[in-house]
PDB file of all heavy atoms in Angstrom:
ATOM      1  N   GLY A  21     -12.668  18.292 -14.192  1.00 41.00           N
ATOM      2  CA  GLY A  21     -12.870  19.729 -14.177  1.00 41.00           C
ATOM      3  C   GLY A  21     -11.718  20.503 -13.584  1.00 41.00           C
ATOM      4  O   GLY A  21     -11.807  21.696 -13.421  1.00 41.00           O
ATOM      5  N   GLN A  22     -10.631  19.818 -13.238  1.00 42.00           N
ATOM      6  CA  GLN A  22      -9.498  20.493 -12.589  1.00 42.00           C
ATOM      7  C   GLN A  22      -8.401  20.838 -13.622  1.00 42.00           C
ATOM      8  O   GLN A  22      -8.283  20.155 -14.614  1.00 42.00           O
ATOM      9  CB  GLN A  22      -8.890  19.556 -11.504  1.00 42.00           C
ATOM     10  CG  GLN A  22      -9.823  19.335 -10.343  1.00 42.00           C
ATOM     11  CD  GLN A  22      -9.982  20.566  -9.500  1.00 42.00           C
ATOM     12  OE1 GLN A  22      -9.052  21.272  -9.207  1.00 42.00           O
ATOM     13  NE2 GLN A  22     -11.220  20.852  -9.159  1.00 42.00           N
ATOM     14  N   THR A  23      -7.660  21.872 -13.321  1.00 40.00           N
ATOM     15  CA  THR A  23      -6.477  22.162 -14.120  1.00 40.00           C
ATOM     16  C   THR A  23      -5.252  21.674 -13.327  1.00 40.00           C
ATOM     17  O   THR A  23      -5.333  21.427 -12.142  1.00 40.00           O
ATOM     18  CB  THR A  23      -6.364  23.672 -14.321  1.00 40.00           C
ATOM     19  OG1 THR A  23      -6.303  24.344 -13.058  1.00 40.00           O
ATOM     20  CG2 THR A  23      -7.541  24.184 -15.134  1.00 40.00           C
ATOM     21  N   SER A  24      -4.130  21.543 -14.018  1.00 39.00           N
ATOM     22  CA  SER A  24      -2.930  21.017 -13.404  1.00 39.00           C
ATOM     23  C   SER A  24      -1.772  21.979 -13.569  1.00 39.00           C
ATOM     24  O   SER A  24      -0.888  21.738 -14.378  1.00 39.00           O
ATOM     25  CB  SER A  24      -2.576  19.639 -14.001  1.00 39.00           C
ATOM     26  OG  SER A  24      -3.620  18.726 -13.770  1.00 39.00           O
ATOM     27  N   PRO A  25      -1.751  23.077 -12.829  1.00 39.00           N
ATOM     28  CA  PRO A  25      -0.648  24.029 -12.941  1.00 39.00           C
ATOM     29  C   PRO A  25       0.628  23.372 -12.431  1.00 39.00           C
ATOM     30  O   PRO A  25       0.613  22.478 -11.617  1.00 39.00           O
ATOM     31  CB  PRO A  25      -1.104  25.199 -12.078  1.00 39.00           C
ATOM     32  CG  PRO A  25      -2.040  24.598 -11.068  1.00 39.00           C
ATOM     33  CD  PRO A  25      -2.749  23.507 -11.791  1.00 39.00           C
ATOM     34  N   GLN A  26       1.755  23.925 -12.841  1.00 39.00           N
ATOM     35  CA  GLN A  26       3.023  23.409 -12.408  1.00 39.00           C
ATOM     36  C   GLN A  26       3.183  23.688 -10.912  1.00 39.00           C
ATOM     37  O   GLN A  26       2.662  24.662 -10.369  1.00 39.00           O
ATOM     38  CB  GLN A  26       4.174  24.097 -13.170  1.00 39.00           C
ATOM     39  CG  GLN A  26       4.214  23.719 -14.643  1.00 39.00           C
ATOM     40  CD  GLN A  26       4.655  22.279 -14.844  1.00 39.00           C
ATOM     41  OE1 GLN A  26       5.507  21.788 -14.090  1.00 39.00           O
ATOM     42  NE2 GLN A  26       4.068  21.602 -15.774  1.00 39.00           N
ATOM     43  N   SER A  27       3.930  22.814 -10.245  1.00 40.00           N
ATOM     44  CA  SER A  27       4.151  22.988  -8.817  1.00 40.00           C
ATOM     45  C   SER A  27       5.578  22.671  -8.515  1.00 40.00           C
ATOM     46  O   SER A  27       6.368  22.281  -9.359  1.00 40.00           O
ATOM     47  CB  SER A  27       3.213  22.040  -8.065  1.00 40.00           C
ATOM     48  OG  SER A  27       3.432  22.066  -6.673  1.00 40.00           O
ATOM     49  N   ASN A  28       5.976  22.836  -7.250  1.00 42.00           N
ATOM     50  CA  ASN A  28       7.342  22.602  -6.855  1.00 42.00           C
ATOM     51  C   ASN A  28       7.641  21.096  -6.958  1.00 42.00           C
ATOM     52  O   ASN A  28       6.821  20.259  -6.751  1.00 42.00           O
ATOM     53  CB  ASN A  28       7.567  23.048  -5.392  1.00 42.00           C
ATOM     54  CG  ASN A  28       7.382  24.547  -5.263  1.00 42.00           C
ATOM     55  OD1 ASN A  28       7.662  25.279  -6.202  1.00 42.00           O
ATOM     56  ND2 ASN A  28       6.916  24.956  -4.101  1.00 42.00           N
ATOM     57  N   ALA A  29       8.899  20.803  -7.264  1.00 44.00           N
ATOM     58  CA  ALA A  29       9.345  19.430  -7.309  1.00 44.00           C
ATOM     59  C   ALA A  29       9.613  18.940  -5.893  1.00 44.00           C
ATOM     60  O   ALA A  29       9.674  19.714  -4.933  1.00 44.00           O
ATOM     61  CB  ALA A  29      10.625  19.289  -8.138  1.00 44.00           C
TER      62      ALA A  29
END
Side-chain angles (χ1 to χ4, degrees):
Q22 293 290 315
T23 58
S24 298
Q26 293 289 323
S27 176
N28 295 330

